[in-house]
Amino acid sequence: MIQRIRRLGRRGCDLLEAFGRAGIFLAQSAVGLPSREGLYLWVRQMHFVGVLSLAIVLVSGLFIGMVLSLQGYTILVDFGAEDALGQMVALSLLRELAPVVAALLFAGRAGSALTAEIGLMKATEQLTSMEMIGVDPLRRVVAPRLWAGFVSLPLLTVGFGVVGIYGGYLVGVDWLGVFEGSYWSNMQASVDFIDDVGNGIIKSLVFAVVVTWIAVFQGYDLVPTSEGISRATTRTVVYSSLAVLGLDFVLTAVMFGGLA
Amino acid sequence: MSDTPFVAVEGLHFSRGDKEIFRGVDMTIQRGGITAIMGPSGSGKTTLLKLIGGQLLPDAGRVLIEGQDVHRQSRKALFSMRQRMGMLFQSGALFSDLSVFENVAFPLRVHTDLPGAMVRDLVLMKLEAVGLRGARTLMPSELSGGMARRVALARAIALDPELILYDEPFVGQDPISMGVLVQLIKRLNQALGLTSIVVSHDIKETLTIADYVYVIADGQVMAHGTPKSLDVDQDPRVSQFVHGEPDGPVPFHYPAVDFVSDMLSPGGPR
Amino acid sequence: MKRSKTMELGVGLFMLAGILGLVFLGLRVSGMTLQAPSDTFRLEANFANIGGLKPRARVTMAGVTVGRVAAIELDTDWYDARVVLELDDDLEGQLSRDTTAAILTSGLLGEQYVGLSVGGDPETLADGDTIRDTQSALVLEELIQQFVSNMVSD
């Protein structure tokens, strides 16, 4: 029994230690003024992290907007309120689905790739050799990836929202015959730029920091073997999905739930 | 000049978890010349290089390079100290997203403000030295293991360091590229006036180029001397290692209970 | 270096698309206009019951949106609700003193908004004035209660 409690205690200590390491890691790599060279590295990573995730995010956004519109219509039409379709699609996308689903897709597409890439660089001693050349890998390898993630995900989220609203329009207006004017005007009457779009973007910023941080840290901190890499990529997806969903609840409670 | 050792390791202790890897290692490495550090696999030779390079922190003891304690430096001072060291990794550790040319140019680009034409000249010079000037446009994934190691060597000498650490340079090489590497290490050392530390367990090759040899086992320096003196060393452990005998004081068997009694106890632990 | 040029172009387009998307969300989805927010003036109106009226609800005249509800608070002198309306500047000095304000509902279950209708008084309302003539929100429960008690008394 005492053994078990002790084991639990050790788990707790390990966990705290990992959090500490991750915090120091973030602080060391995310700060520092970008140089010209750093800017170039950042653009490179923006390409890998952002541009290459664009397709999956946009396609998913289109489908989610279409489904939302279809489901919403069947419910709203019972109340004769199908005019409110635009409002429903836009609010649920902007407040909830765009930040969350884009973050989950981002964790799967870009996060796991980041972990694997950095993990492979660690396993093949590229990070150590960089250190021996006298270049800080936190600055050279980690920082551009972190910042690329921080910037990409909010942009992807905006794209997701736009495409989703368009998808809702396609299904609702073109297919189900909701009056086009009421689709847009109801939306415009109910969506507030600061409260809805702004809060959605704040959410996605938070998710961007968390997901990229987890991904990059898992890559940097893994056991440098092929098994270690595969485990770390799994951990990245699991941890960041959980973190996104959990944080989403907290943020929603604060932003829209009247807390604080 | 040659009176003060270039690298001095004093009373080094290091452990990983519960496992003690070094229990008081002392070494002095003279300027110029090739010092070999040898020992059986798992004796922590690579760890020793990482300690010298300042990547790991010892539990006790110090590593001095030209009288400066490597582990007492600020991060910045340590990084500038490392500019004067080159290290060749077991796997080569080329940056997989850069071409051969860019790999060799990397240290020049980050540490100097040389104009592009001069970087090009320097890189081609270094590549010529390792015989791979023609392979400059290849990506690291297109190189064979031996070529990758030679490119890594060109990268390690790009900034004209004073000290080069070689981590198992001969491991997993066919005889031809092994011979090439042996020659390269020796030639570079003479031509550039480097100090080299070679960590290896390939006895034959290492002994042909080393000026001085340290043999590590059980976390301590077991023997040291010139290759000749080690060859005739009477210590059975040294002679087992130097002559590559399969069994001896370093046992062939992992510690286990007696074989016969283990076989005859069917209900015993697996 | 050619490869990195196309990469830079891609990243640039990506960021541009993100910004354009944001503009789309601003203009088309949240209905912001590019003109600077027009000047407004404020009127107050006291209602006995505001029902489900919320801040930022629309204020309309003849169905045209002319402003928004800026604030709702409890008037402790009369124990009724004081609603502050923010109206377009063009209407200042145009609304007669006997303008009525009513809380209306769009559709059966829709949102509630304030409807204004002008009267015939030659004097007009200025910034900070109070609309006297108000009509409270229809509360469904009260309506049903009334209906039932009428049935009984019949």
Side-chain angles (χ1 to χ4, degrees):
Chain A
M1 188 61 198
I2 286 176
Q3 271 262 296
R4 278 200 188 156
I5 293 175
R6 192 186 298 152
R7 209 175 302 152
L8 191 72
R10 195 162 61 209
R11 277 265 177 98
C13 289
D14 286 351
L15 194 73
L16 262 176
E17 202 192 309
F19 270 113
R21 272 206 314 273
I24 292 168
F25 168 82
L26 182 69
Q28 275 183 345
S29 41
V31 293
L33 290 171
S35 55
R36 247 206 77 180
E37 161 116 80
L39 199 69
Y40 171 71
L41 291 170
W42 176 77
V43 168
R44 244 180 107 89
Q45 291 310 319
M46 280 295 285
H47 176 75
F48 286 120
V49 170
V51 177
L52 296 184
S53 311
L54 200 58
I56 180 176
V57 167
L58 292 190
V59 171
S60 314
L62 190 70
F63 280 124
I64 287 198
M66 283 158 68
V67 165
L68 211 56
S69 191
L70 199 54
Q71 290 278 17
Y73 181 82
T74 55
I75 295 169
L76 289 174
V77 82
D78 286 348
F79 301 100
E82 67 267 28
D83 283 350
L85 186 65
Q87 163 184 357
M88 200 212 80
V89 169
L91 283 184
S92 36
L93 271 174
L94 294 176
R95 288 183 176 180
E96 228 18 84
L97 287 171
V100 172
V101 179
L104 293 179
L105 291 171
F106 185 78
R109 169 67 182 76
S112 58
L114 282 178
T115 306
E117 194 192 7
I118 293 181
L120 204 65
M121 287 176 89
K122 185 178 182 182
T124 53
E125 295 177 304
Q126 290 183 45
L127 296 182
T128 332
S129 84
M130 198 172 273
E131 236 172 75
M132 285 305 298
I133 290 173
V135 175
D136 189 346
L138 290 182
R139 284 281 165 76
R140 171 101 196 172
V141 175
V142 173
R145 286 170 171 76
L146 272 179
W147 283 105
F150 294 173
V151 177
S152 298
L153 183 51
L155 290 176
L156 291 171
T157 301
V158 168
F160 189 103
V162 170
V163 171
I165 287 171
Y166 181 68
Y169 171 85
L170 282 183
V171 168
V173 176
D174 285 354
W175 181 23
L176 298 171
V178 174
F179 179 55
E180 179 177 356
S182 55
Y183 184 83
W184 291 116
S185 68
N186 258 312
M187 192 185 290
Q188 287 172 1
S190 58
V191 175
D192 185 79
F193 190 70
I194 305 293
D195 282 357
D196 299 319
V197 181
N199 275 336
I201 287 175
I202 291 174
K203 269 189 183 180
S204 79
L205 267 173
V206 173
F207 297 159
V209 171
V210 170
V211 171
T212 325
W213 180 21
I214 289 176
V216 171
F217 179 70
Q218 288 293 346
Y220 197 76
D221 203 49
L222 52 70
V223 186
T225 58
S226 38
E227 195 196 2
I229 293 174
S230 76
R231 280 195 182 173
T233 46
T234 313
R235 270 204 305 272
T236 293
V237 176
V238 172
Y239 289 176
S240 33
S241 308
L242 284 179
V244 163
L245 295 172
L247 272 174
D248 181 51
F249 176 72
V250 175
L251 288 174
T252 308
V254 171
M255 287 169 173
F256 305 108
L259 275 176
Chain B
M1 252 316 245
S2 59
D3 296 327
T4 53
F6 189 51
V7 180
V9 179
E10 296 174 357
L12 200 67
H13 282 74
F14 183 78
S15 54
R16 190 166 270 160
D18 296 333
K19 200 180 159 215
E20 270 197 316
I21 296 180
F22 296 122
R23 297 175 298 172
V25 171
D26 295 283
M27 281 181 190
T28 51
I29 287 156
Q30 297 300 331
R31 186 181 289 276
I34 300 174
T35 305
I37 299 172
M38 315 209 317
S41 310
S43 57
K45 301 183 298 292
T46 305
T47 312
L48 185 63
L49 281 192
K50 286 190 172 169
L51 282 162
I52 293 174
Q55 288 173 342
L56 296 173
L57 216 61
D59 298 337
R62 334 184 270 171
V63 175
L64 302 172
I65 294 182
E66 287 194 310
Q68 286 177 300
D69 189 337
V70 173
H71 302 101
R72 291 274 162 74
Q73 306 291 322
S74 68
R75 201 172 164 83
K76 214 173 145 193
L78 180 65
F79 273 94
S80 73
M81 199 181 240
R82 284 186 185 152
Q83 288 177 36
R84 294 164 49 208
M85 295 185 216
M87 182 157 174
L88 187 71
F89 287 86
Q90 222 174 90
S91 55
L94 296 175
F95 303 130
S96 44
D97 52 343
L98 300 178
S99 69
V100 165
F101 181 91
E102 286 299 320
N103 258 290
V104 180
F106 181 83
L108 295 167
R109 290 202 205 280
V110 290
H111 288 307
T112 66
D113 287 324
L114 295 175
M118 201 179 266
V119 169
R120 193 185 121 92
D121 290 350
L122 279 171
V123 171
L124 293 186
M125 256 165 64
K126 306 294 177 191
L127 280 175
E128 176 71 21
V130 297
L132 289 175
R133 193 163 44 85
R136 73 188 108 155
T137 54
L138 298 181
M139 293 306 280
S141 54
E142 298 168 295
L143 300 176
S144 72
M147 281 159 83
R149 228 165 277 191
R150 277 150 71 190
V151 173
L153 185 56
R155 186 179 67 182
I157 59 171
L159 283 173
D160 294 319
E162 296 158 51
L163 173 67
I164 295 201
L165 311 173
Y166 296 93
D167 184 8
E168 303 277 11
F170 312 122
V171 120
Q173 298 294 309
D174 62 74
I176 299 175
S177 42
M178 184 127 65
V180 169
L181 280 166
V182 168
Q183 281 311 307
L184 261 178
I185 291 172
K186 194 165 177 67
R187 265 211 342 252
L188 284 174
N189 201 68
Q190 285 165 350
L192 303 175
L194 297 168
T195 308
S196 306
I197 301 178
V198 181
V199 153
S200 179
H201 53 231
D202 290 283
I203 306 139
K204 200 162 64 62
E205 287 73 24
T206 313
L207 289 186
T208 55
I209 54 167
D211 298 315
Y212 204 80
V213 178
Y214 282 89
V215 180
I216 317 184
D218 300 328
Q220 278 166 324
V221 174
M222 192 168 68
H224 59 98
T226 58
K228 261 194 200 119
S229 71
L230 281 187
D231 207 26
V232 295
D233 200 297
Q234 291 307 308
D235 188 325
R237 293 178 305 171
V238 177
S239 83
Q240 185 203 349
F241 184 74
V242 172
H243 301 291
E245 289 149 9
D247 208 355
V250 179
F252 168 71
H253 291 288
Y254 192 83
V257 295
D258 178 60
F259 184 58
V260 177
S261 59
D262 207 5
M263 293 301 280
L264 294 178
S265 59
R270 291 204 181 207
Chain C
M1 283 291 141
K2 212 172 93 205
R3 228 178 84 215
S4 79
K5 278 268 157 57
T6 51
M7 190 190 294
E8 277 168 12
L9 187 71
V11 172
L13 284 176
F14 171 54
M15 296 184 68
L16 195 69
I19 292 163
L20 283 180
L22 205 61
V23 171
F24 172 82
L25 288 184
L27 295 183
R28 186 80 212 220
V29 175
S30 28
M32 290 204 312
T33 43
L34 278 180
Q35 303 121 331
S38 54
D39 288 332
T40 55
F41 76 107
R42 286 171 170 239
L43 290 179
E44 290 178 8
N46 282 32
F47 294 92
N49 191 335
I50 56 164
L53 190 72
K54 300 249 163 52
R56 292 206 305 111
R58 283 183 300 149
V59 178
T60 64
M61 241 179 136
V64 181
T65 303
V66 293
R68 290 195 174 271
V69 172
I72 298 172
E73 58 208 14
L74 187 68
D75 186 339
T76 43
D77 294 341
W78 299 93
Y79 293 102
D80 56 8
R82 186 196 296 135
V83 175
V84 182
L85 310 175
E86 232 170 36
L87 303 177
D88 286 351
D89 213 17
D90 317 348
L91 288 175
E92 190 170 7
Q94 301 284 324
L95 299 175
S96 65
R97 196 155 272 283
D98 58 353
T99 296
T100 56
I103 296 179
L104 307 169
T105 309
S106 59
L108 190 59
L109 297 165
E111 54 175 332
Q112 287 185 305
Y113 63 98
V114 178
L116 299 179
S117 43
V118 275
D121 199 317
E123 279 185 68
T124 57
L125 291 164
D127 188 29
D129 281 353
T130 304
I131 298 175
R132 302 259 165 245
D133 195 357
T134 62
Q135 190 183 324
S136 288
L138 280 180
V139 178
L140 210 59
E141 290 91 322
E142 284 176 9
L143 221 61
I144 294 168
Q145 221 165 33
Q146 247 170 23
F147 180 68
V148 171
S149 58
N150 282 351
M151 291 269 282
V152 171
S153 64
D154 282 352

